[in-house]
Amino acid sequence: NAGVTQTPKFRILKIGQSMTLQCTQDMNHNYMYWYRQDPGMGLKLIYYSVGAGITDKGEVPNGYNVSRSTTEDFPLRLELAAPSQTSVYFCASSYRTSYGNEQFFGPGTRLTVL
Amino acid sequence: GQNIDQPTEMTATEGAIVQINCTYQTSGFNGLFWYQQHAGEAPTFLSYNVLDGLEEKGRFSSFLSRSKGYSYLLLKELQMKDSASYLCAAPSSGSARQLTFGSGTQLTVLP
C-alpha cells in the first residue's frame, strides 16, 4: 500500500493564482482531512470528509474549497492565492471518526505564495 | 472548541527520561492522541488513551487523567532519533469527527 500520497511536494504561486493540491489514499478509509501547518505551530483543520460526496468545514476554511467524488481522492482547491496561505499542507485519512482511530498523513505539500 | 496546551520546547540528554505534558478541556472528551513529527516530515501516530492510567509501548508510555484534563508522554532511554516535535491532540468539543492539535513540543536530545 502506498498509504496517503500528495502532489505536488513543493509549489510557488503568485498572488491571485489558483491551484489544486492532490491527495489520494489506497486504504479504503472513509474519513479524509486537509490540514495546514504554519512554522512552529500545530495543525489546523481546513476541511474534512466523512465519505464520497460529503464534505464539511474545519477551523480555517476561508480561501479553500474541496470535493470528494470518490473514496480515494480528496483534492484541495486554492482560489486567488494570498501570502497568508503560505504553509505546509497535509492530507490525512482514517478508517472512521476520531474515537480511537489514528490518522495517517501524507508527506505534505510546501506552498509559498509571493 | 478544544483548547490544548503543551510546552513549546524541551531539551534532554541521550539515555535520559523525559516527560512531555499536555492539558486539555474536559467537556465532551473522548480520548487523547500523541503524534511524533520529525522536522520536514508528516506526523506519525504514537498513542491513544481513552481510559485513565498509563499505557506502555516499548520506550514510550502515555498517561491520562480525565478528571484533571491532563496527559503526558514519557520517553525512556532517549536516543538522538527521538529529537522531534510531539503533538498532543483531542477530538474537538462538539465534534468527534475533528481533532484539535496542540502546537507541539519540540524535543532536542543532546549527546
Side-chain angles (χ1 to χ4, degrees):
Chain A
N1 284 353
V4 180
T5 57
Q6 292 182 238
T7 56
K9 290 186 178 171
F10 303 92
R11 184 72 186 267
I12 298 175
L13 282 181
K14 294 183 179 178
I15 295 172
Q17 287 185 319
S18 60
M19 75 166 292
T20 299
L21 282 67
Q22 301 292 344
C23 176
T24 300
Q25 54 93 7
D26 63 359
M27 297 174 282
N28 202 31
H29 284 170
N30 294 316
Y31 283 63
M32 295 188 74
Y33 313 83
W34 274 106
Y35 294 92
R36 60 175 288 173
Q37 186 176 35
D38 298 329
M41 302 297 288
L43 299 158
K44 300 289 187 187
L45 183 66
I46 305 171
Y47 271 95
Y48 68 98
S49 169
V50 302
I54 306 170
T55 62
D56 210 345
K57 295 178 181 179
E59 186 182 354
V60 290
N62 291 346
Y64 307 95
N65 277 300
V66 293
S67 60
R68 183 97 181 268
S69 57
T70 67
T71 299
E72 295 78 19
D73 300 307
F74 190 40
L76 177 72
R77 179 81 178 163
L78 279 73
E79 304 282 2
L80 298 175
S84 61
Q85 293 178 306
T86 294
S87 190
V88 180
Y89 291 84
F90 289 104
C91 179
S93 73
S94 65
Y95 177 56
R96 287 187 300 182
T97 185
S98 296
Y99 293 115
N101 288 284
E102 67 176 281
Q103 293 185 16
F104 295 83
F105 286 83
T109 294
R110 283 148 184 81
L111 176 68
T112 302
V113 181
L114 300 174
Chain B
Q2 180 62 262
N3 195 19
I4 294 180
D5 288 315
Q6 51 181 130
T8 303
E9 294 177 328
M10 297 185 73
T11 302
T13 305
E14 198 173 11
I17 299 173
V18 71
Q19 178 176 311
I20 302 174
N21 297 326
C22 170
T23 59
Y24 61 89
Q25 289 180 325
T26 57
S27 61
F29 176 74
N30 284 293
L32 188 131
F33 294 83
W34 285 96
Y35 283 80
Q36 180 190 57
Q37 186 177 24
H38 285 102
E41 297 183 8
T44 55
F45 171 80
L46 284 179
S47 67
Y48 173 70
N49 293 66
V50 65
L51 299 176
D52 289 349
L54 186 69
E55 293 214 4
E56 299 187 64
K57 222 188 249 189
R59 293 190 300 114
F60 292 10
S61 303
S62 54
F63 171 84
L64 180 68
S65 169
R66 289 174 295 172
S67 61
K68 296 182 179 178
Y70 168 68
S71 172
Y72 67 74
L73 183 68
L74 192 71
L75 291 74
K76 303 175 187 175
E77 302 169 14
L78 280 173
Q79 302 175 7
M80 301 295 287
K81 67 179 182 180
D82 297 329
S83 291
S85 181
Y86 291 87
L87 301 165
C88 174
S92 303
S93 297
S95 173
R97 297 175 171 182
Q98 305 179 37
L99 277 184
T100 296
F101 284 81
S103 296
T105 298
Q106 181 63 49
L107 173 66
T108 301
V109 180
L110 301 173

